[in-house]
Each structure stands twice: as structure tokens, then as C-alpha cells.
Amino acid sequence: MPSFDSSPTLSVWRILLALGVVFVLLATTGWTTIRHQRTPGETREQALAAWAHDRIGGRALPDPKGPARAIAAFFAAIGPAQGARLADAHPFVMGNLNGVPVTLRYRANRRSLSRALAAERGRVDDPRLTADGRHEALRRVHRFTSLMSPGRQILAFDPRGAGRTAEVLGDLDRARRVSVIVPGVDTNLLTFQKSARRFSAPAGMAASLYAAEHRADPEARTAVIAWADYTAPVGVGIEAAIGRLAESGAVRLVGLTDALPGDAPVSLFCHSYGSVLCGVAAPRLPARVTDVVVAGSPGMRAERAADLGTSARIWAMRDADDWIADVPHMELGGVGHGTDPVAPEFGARLLSAAGASGHAGYFEPDTTSVENFAAIGVGAYADLTCAGADSACLGGISGA
């Protein structure tokens, strides 16, 4: 199956649009391109049941579906020692629960990773596995081992199916500005980081942006989150052309931004299908989200930036060599994602993407695109390079 990192033909997308109604019917009746694999170990249901039956000093644990502020208040009341006990006893729940102090989430996810790694190592030698299954198990062993490397801060981890994760660079509790990277299709546990084409994967994107932010302002206290904690479409298929997965991912993104510690301004950097998700999430984002930046976007499921229903500034960029320009920017019967965000009529602030080189190159170091991301990330708007020869993208920004 082709990847969104490679250029699809325009005719493929026209066929998808023409057959949209059929595919939407299939999608809504349970058909999906995403492969699910059985993950050994405790199920989500078992983890939640154990959580529901546990007590702290006779006190019930908070409802995982409750508001993040109530969960945060619970952990503030019980203190760090009891919190650590719960992280060790209930790592799957604690590691993915908004409102839990981030240091406890890191602790819980390290324990979950250890359990997942042990289970996957046990699968490698299972004679019932096919050659492909053994290769997949080995890849997961390598990924879990890497995520457990000293110093890595894993904010979310779910090994079920293709898997989800999120990683923090920097001190999230003390950050004065927070950046969240929302990646696009083919994002899962195994593609969270790459050796080749490192900066096309979420972990590499975050490393590049974090370094660029420190170059932009060496005194800035920033944190960057590589957020691959949603189920992304697989390849150039119908799921990439409709909004179903963006809608479910948007719920998770809003939950994350609502629960971030402190009150630092937050900027979202949304690539490819991730920009669809950010567009769906926009009306529900908290006010602390001040900037939403989309790169290589197929659309934000809106006709105009003003229709997104957010107070955040909307920025857009596209490299001249990005094949996404050839995708029909329209919406028909739920297929397609609406107006091109770099079209003048959309009304986004247009940024230069010079040096990005194609659809997957926006976070490459030393490009104008990542330098623009970094300037927004640290609030240095006067340092931005607009897409045009003038400074039209900076209009109305105090200090710019």
C-alpha cells in the first residue's frame, strides 16, 4: 500500500471521490483498512476493572472518564508517594489518564513498556507465528526497547493494535511555551521514529523543532510533545479521504490540551492528515492554544479559517514540491477535506516553507519551514518569514 510520503496520482483521488458514498457506507458499517493484532497481557477491560476495585485509604480512585481537573485534584490530595504506588499498580490506566501528574505518567508508561517488551520477547520464539508475524514482533521489541532508553519521557503508551504513543521533550511542568506536533497518516508505534528519513517521523520532528526553538531563543523554557496518540489512517485509502479518524482523534487532542499542566501558551503543528484532525478539534480547543499551524494540508474540513470557531491564529504553509497540491481540495458527501488552507480565500496566515523539499520535509533542520515553526513555538513572531514578499502574515500581531 502506498504511503502518504510518496506521491499518489491525481486519478486515484478522483476515483476515491467518485466512489465516496460507497466507501462511506462501508466505513460506517465497520470496514476499515487498519489491521489489528492481538497484544498479549492485560486487556484494557481488566486494567479498568482493577482500577475500579482499588482504594487509597478506603477512598475510591477517580473515574477515568471524569474531568482532568478532578483527577488532578485527587492526585494532589493523595501526594506523590501514594501516586507512585498507583502508577506501579495500574500502569496502563495511569500512563494514559489526563490529569495525572506527568512525572507519574512517565513512570507508569515505563512500567507498561517493560511489560509489553517482556510479552513481545515471549512472542518472538512462538512456533505458531508466521515469518511476517515474527518480523513484526521483532520490530516491536526494538521499538519498545528504544522508548525505554534513559531520559525518554513517554506521556502515553498503548501497545494494542498498531499502537499509540506520545513523548515529551523538555520540562512540561515548568515550560513557558508548549508545542504539540500532530502527525498524519501511517503513524503508529512502529513508525513513531525512523532511522532513515528521521525527520519525517514524529520523534524526529519533535527533536528538530525542540532544537530549532532553542536556537531561536536560547533562554526560552519550552517543551515539545510528539503526539502520536490517535489512530491514524493507513496509506492513501478512504480513511485518509474522510473525517472519521480525525473526529475520534480530535477528542483525544482536546483532552490532551485541556489537561496540560500550568498555563503556558500552546501551539499546534499539524502535518498532512494531522491538519484535518486539528481542524475538527479547533472549535473545542482551550483558549491557551494560541496558534494552529498546518503544513502540507489536504484541508481542515472548513471552507474558511473563520469557520474553524477558534480564537487561535491559523497559519498555513506548503512547499512548492509537495504533491498534496494536486489533491482535490473539496468536500463531497463526506469525502475530501474542504478548501486548501494556503488558498487566499481560506484566510490563513501564509508562511514560507523554503527548503522543505516535498511532503515529508517540513521538519528538516535548517529549513525555513522549521525555523518558522520554532519562531511561533517561542513567540518570536517578528522573526517569521511570510510566504509572500511582504509581511502580510504578521498583520494584527502585537510586537510583530
Side-chain angles (χ1 to χ4, degrees):
M1 179 174 291
S3 164
F4 249 50
D5 285 346
S6 60
S7 176
T9 62
L10 184 57
S11 61
V12 170
W13 276 89
R14 284 176 173 160
I15 291 170
L16 286 174
L17 289 169
L19 297 177
V21 174
V22 174
F23 282 127
V24 169
L25 288 173
L26 288 169
T28 55
T29 54
W31 179 84
T32 177
T33 60
I34 296 174
R35 296 175 297 162
H36 296 280
Q37 71 176 59
R38 182 179 177 274
T39 301
E42 184 182 48
T43 66
R44 179 177 182 273
E45 291 72 23
Q46 290 170 331
L48 290 172
W51 175 267
H53 286 91
D54 202 353
R55 297 290 185 273
I56 287 286
R59 181 180 179 183
L61 305 187
D63 182 354
K65 296 181 180 179
R69 61 182 178 275
I71 293 168
F74 172 86
F75 281 95
I78 66 172
Q82 293 283 33
R85 199 277 286 177
L86 288 177
D88 292 343
H90 306 282
F92 181 83
V93 176
M94 287 273 288
N96 297 287
L97 187 56
N98 289 324
V100 172
V102 294
T103 52
L104 292 180
R105 290 184 68 167
Y106 302 156
R107 180 186 181 116
N109 284 319
R110 179 163 289 275
R111 183 163 290 250
S112 285
L113 275 160
S114 179
R115 290 182 178 180
L117 177 59
E120 215 59 54
R121 281 175 172 159
R123 293 182 67 240
V124 169
D125 297 322
D126 189 336
R128 295 170 295 179
L129 280 184
T130 64
D132 286 345
R134 184 168 292 104
H135 177 67
E136 182 90 353
L138 282 170
R139 291 182 68 198
R140 288 167 71 88
V141 165
H142 294 153
R143 176 61 62 248
F144 298 162
T145 301
S146 177
L147 291 174
M148 290 184 68
S149 298
R152 297 194 74 168
Q153 302 176 136
I154 306 304
L155 186 66
F157 173 71
D158 185 346
R160 297 174 301 158
R164 299 194 299 255
T165 193
E167 181 177 15
V168 176
L169 301 183
D171 187 339
L172 191 55
D173 281 320
R174 296 185 175 188
R176 299 297 297 271
R177 299 191 72 94
V178 177
S179 299
V180 181
I181 294 171
V182 184
V185 302
D186 291 330
T187 296
N188 55 51
L189 266 174
L190 295 181
T191 61
F192 182 70
Q193 62 190 61
K194 298 177 182 178
S195 298
R197 304 176 70 220
R198 177 189 175 196
F199 302 109
S200 67
M205 292 175 176
S208 177
L209 177 58
Y210 189 60
E213 288 182 348
H214 280 270
R215 287 194 300 271
D217 185 352
E219 303 301 318
R221 295 211 309 260
T222 65
V224 176
I225 302 174
W227 189 78
D229 193 25
Y230 81 103
T231 300
V234 176
V236 186
I238 185 58
E239 288 287 16
I242 63 175
R244 186 179 71 90
L245 294 178
E247 289 163 4
S248 58
V251 174
R252 302 182 67 82
L253 180 60
V254 171
L256 169 80
T257 53
D258 275 336
L260 289 173
D263 57 3
V266 177
S267 301
L268 303 183
F269 299 92
C270 317
H271 177 243
S272 195
Y273 188 84
S275 67
V276 183
L277 190 161
C278 288
V280 175
R284 291 165 282 164
L285 292 171
R288 67 185 295 189
V289 177
T290 57
D291 298 274
V292 176
V293 189
V294 301
S297 175
M300 300 183 75
R301 300 195 76 78
E303 294 306 306
R304 299 177 304 155
D307 297 335
L308 291 170
T310 177
S311 59
R313 289 175 286 266
I314 307 299
W315 308 82
M317 68 168 67
R318 186 170 66 221
D319 179 68
D321 296 326
D322 191 338
W323 57 259
I324 204 78
D326 295 328
V327 171
H329 286 85
M330 57 180 291
E331 189 277 328
L332 177 64
V335 179
H337 304 304
T339 304
D340 185 347
V342 301
E345 61 268 24
F346 186 76
R349 299 168 181 266
L350 302 184
L351 293 166
S352 171
S357 186
H359 187 64
Y362 292 96
F363 288 86
E364 286 286 337
D366 301 319
T367 56
T368 302
S369 53
V370 82
E371 289 171 357
N372 273 333
F373 294 158
I376 291 173
V378 300
Y381 298 101
D383 295 335
L384 289 169
T385 303
C386 298
D390 55 22
S391 300
C393 74
L394 303 181
I397 301 177
S398 177

